[in-house]
Amino acid sequence: MSKQFKFEIDGIEIEARHGQSIMQAADDAGVYIPRLCDVEGLEPQGSCRVCVVKQNGRVVSACTQPAIEGSKVENETEEILGYRRDLVRMLYHEGNHLCPICEASGRCELQAMGYRLGITQATKYPYLQPVRPVDASHPDIVLDTNRCILCGRCIRASRDIDKKHVFEYVGRGIHKRVGVNGNKLADTNVELKDRAIDLATCPVGCIIQKGRGFFAPIGERQFDKKPITLGVGPGKGRGKP
Amino acid sequence: MARTRIIEIDPLTRVEGHGKVTIHLDDHNNVDEARLHIVEFRGFERFILGRLYWEVPVIVQRLCGICPVSHHLAASKAMDSIVGVDCLTPTAEKMRRLMHYGQIMQSNVLHFFHLSSPDLLFGFESEVEKRNIFGIIEAYPELAVKGIKMRKFGQEVIRATAGKKIHGTSAIPGGVNKNLSLAERDHLLQDIEQMIEWAQEAVAIAEGYCVDHLSLVQQFATFNSSHMSLVREDGAMDLYHGVLRAIDASGNVIFDQVDYRDFNDYLMEEVRSWSYMKFPFIKRRGNLDGWYRVGPLSRMNTAGFIDTPLADDAHQAFRAFAGGRPNQMSLAYHWARMIEVLHCVEKIRQLLHDPDLQGSDLLLRGERREEGIGVLEAPRGTLFHHYRVDNNDQVTFCNLIVATTNNNEAMNRAITQVAKAHLSSQKTIPEGMLNKIEVAVRAYDPCLSCATHALGRMPLDVALYDAAGNLLEHRVKDGR
Ligand code: SF4
Ligand code: SF4
Ligand code: FES
């Protein structure tokens, strides 16, 4: 389809079609905008705010904000990087993240984003240290929401692709978390082959396929070789890499 | 018995464990007994409960900053049982062994060169300012460099096998997740002959010390005890796998050929009100006489032979030193430790030339079981990991007996012996007393010194109280 208008990201000219988000147009042009809740194949939800950019001076989320003709978008400026760092730090502090003992380590998008943003130190925020039970009731699948960043990718995948509604948000505000449609995972009709269970769906280490932890040696894991960017990582980036 | 004074010695360690020594005197200022109090691994077993079994080999490494690999492998052995695997593929077993030998080598080398060599080369009484690794670097620069390079080599072996120098992930239930690439192998082969040569030199230094200081070594913290370790079925020293063997002070077998999965039939643990660390003992001999020692000294005593030629020669010399009977000298731990380094380096050389390490058969699966027990010889001694896992794959039970715990009674005996010899009938703490206590405890390389390993010093805080709790004397030795 022919491109219908142009705008700029950090001074680079980008072509876009009407109706495209800033993120979609950037992906098509091969410009990476960091993201966590948005993933190829699912409707954007606009909740993590890691894709924050400035469009003509206004702070917006690139995954949901339509591209505007002639607009100037700031993506990799120090100010924006600062926002992203704070957002990612808060995600770490909201959950229980012990990367060295987590089987998602090395393929985790949150961890990879932390590295990309240069977050290497303990930060100023308090750790909330929530206590959330692990649901290992299902014969093949575990849900450990201690590491959940509430990206909703499992919810959208189950609802829109698997047509099952296995996962849903429960609770409000600081108590909001991901729950399952039933008392426990074993009561649902979730299966290993579901898109919601695909390792590319949960960006962190919450949805676990049983008995396969640590199969990938250090050095061979997704982000051991390349830092997170467009087309690197499970299901990241839409359009051409 | 009236206790009129208590002396407290408090190593100010915070990271992996925390210990202090109290010496109990009677009315006549004679030493009644000395106790090593340890706050260690508290709550860790509970932290594991509810976790998924395949996470455990990675989680338990957090127990210890110095021997994480030992915990990684012991837990993996237990989890092999959980996934129904009793015998790994050759590649998996050899990768794990290679990792283990690298670990024991680097840990023993660190202990000897960084922690103990200052005591041995400068003497226990030498000034504190000199008696540390920096003093060694100044006085024996070549030796210090060898120590550093040998440790680095051990760490490189770990990196190549575990994926990282610390907190690797390669041992997984039923096998490993990587083999040794040719590039990794060739990288390690470059230095292996040098390591053999230096390991032999290290054995010579440790042996020379014992021979040259015969009467000191024979007396200092020497006491009769039983000894226990894993050995190979044919009696060879085996640090990774085998059967349990225990011998008494005269060398008579207490038990042998024991499948380590039955260890609960042979060993029990006693709780004493004053220590967080339990006191294991051999059931058959009861809690008073059943205590034993583990670690390098014990392994030299239990093993019939060593299956690598250079270490076997060294082992024979070691056995001859004690007249063929079990060696009961705490200071001989250092010599034994260096013989093990030599053995590990020889084993590493063998394995590097073994094409099985480039095999691709890494993982097996069998029928799921509920209970798993993994035992191996860690640098400091026999390490037991015992778990139960439910149908949901979550851990419901965990009990660990670490090497330091096995040596609990022995360390208490060692300091009691030193205290009796050097403190009794004195009104104040004699000069050099703290050093001697420290040297006695250090021979066992207990995990409570984990934190001080890094800095190569063991700070001590000593307080002397009368019966009413009044402070009589207080001394701080920061060990710098
Ligand atoms: S989910 Fe990611 S960030 Fe969290 S502990 Fe695991 S690897 Fe670390
Ligand atoms: S479980 Fe995973 S996919 Fe689902 S909301 Fe949490 S982080 Fe996102
Ligand atoms: S990726 Fe846009 S808000 Fe999460």
Side-chain angles (χ1 to χ4, degrees), chain B residues 210-245:
Chain B
C210 291
V211 173
D212 295 347
H213 301 80
L214 189 62
S215 65
L216 173 71
V217 173
Q218 281 176 337
Q219 281 162 29
F220 184 85
T222 293
F223 49 90
N224 280 342
S225 78
S226 304
H227 296 271
M228 187 190 73
S229 79
L230 286 180
V231 290
R232 205 165 69 185
E233 274 171 36
D234 63 359
M237 189 167 90
D238 196 330
L239 300 168
Y240 177 73
H241 197 63
V243 289
L244 287 168
R245 172 185 282 181

Side-chain angles (χ1 to χ4, degrees), chain A residues 67-87:
Chain A
I68 297 174
E69 183 163 8
S71 62
K72 292 197 189 322
V73 171
E74 296 163 49
N75 177 29
E76 297 270 352
T77 65
E78 265 316 305
E79 182 191 359
I80 300 281
L81 288 178
Y83 295 148
R84 289 181 184 150
R85 265 182 215 121
D86 280 346
L87 286 161

Side-chain angles (χ1 to χ4, degrees), chain A residues 38 52 74 79 109-110 124 155 158 178 189 199 202 209 233:
Chain A
D38 195 37
V52 60
E74 296 163 49
E79 182 191 359
E109 294 175 38
L110 177 63
K124 57 192 171 186
I155 297 172
S158 183
V178 162
N189 58 346
L199 287 184
C202 180
Q209 300 184 3

Side-chain angles (χ1 to χ4, degrees), chain B residues 412-464:
Chain B
N412 281 283
R413 299 266 170 159
I415 56 172
T416 301
Q417 210 256 25
V418 170
K420 280 190 170 161
H422 300 281
L423 191 76
S424 284
S425 309
Q426 308 222 22
K427 294 209 170 64
T428 54
I429 304 164
E431 277 307 322
M433 171 71 196
L434 303 190
N435 293 349
K436 292 193 176 82
I437 296 268
E438 187 186 330
V439 169
V441 173
R442 195 174 265 170
Y444 295 83
D445 192 13
C447 272
L448 65 106
S449 65
C450 275
T452 61
H453 265 108
L455 297 167
R457 58 186 198 180
M458 189 196 264
L460 294 172
D461 187 337
V462 182
L464 187 59

Side-chain angles (χ1 to χ4, degrees), chain A residues 143 147-154 178 201-204 206-207:
Chain A
L143 180 65
R147 302 161 185 153
C148 182
I149 58 169
L150 298 172
C151 70
R153 280 159 58 162
C154 57
V178 162
T201 296
C202 180
V204 289
C206 298
I207 297 178

Side-chain angles (χ1 to χ4, degrees), chain A residues 100 103 136 144 210-211 214-215, chain B residues 51 54 58 177 365 392-393:
Chain A
E103 64 181 89
D144 182 353
K210 277 192 172 177
F214 307 100
F215 271 25
Chain B
R51 295 314 312 178
W54 56 89
V58 176
N177 68 17
R365 275 283 180 275
N392 287 343
D393 295 342

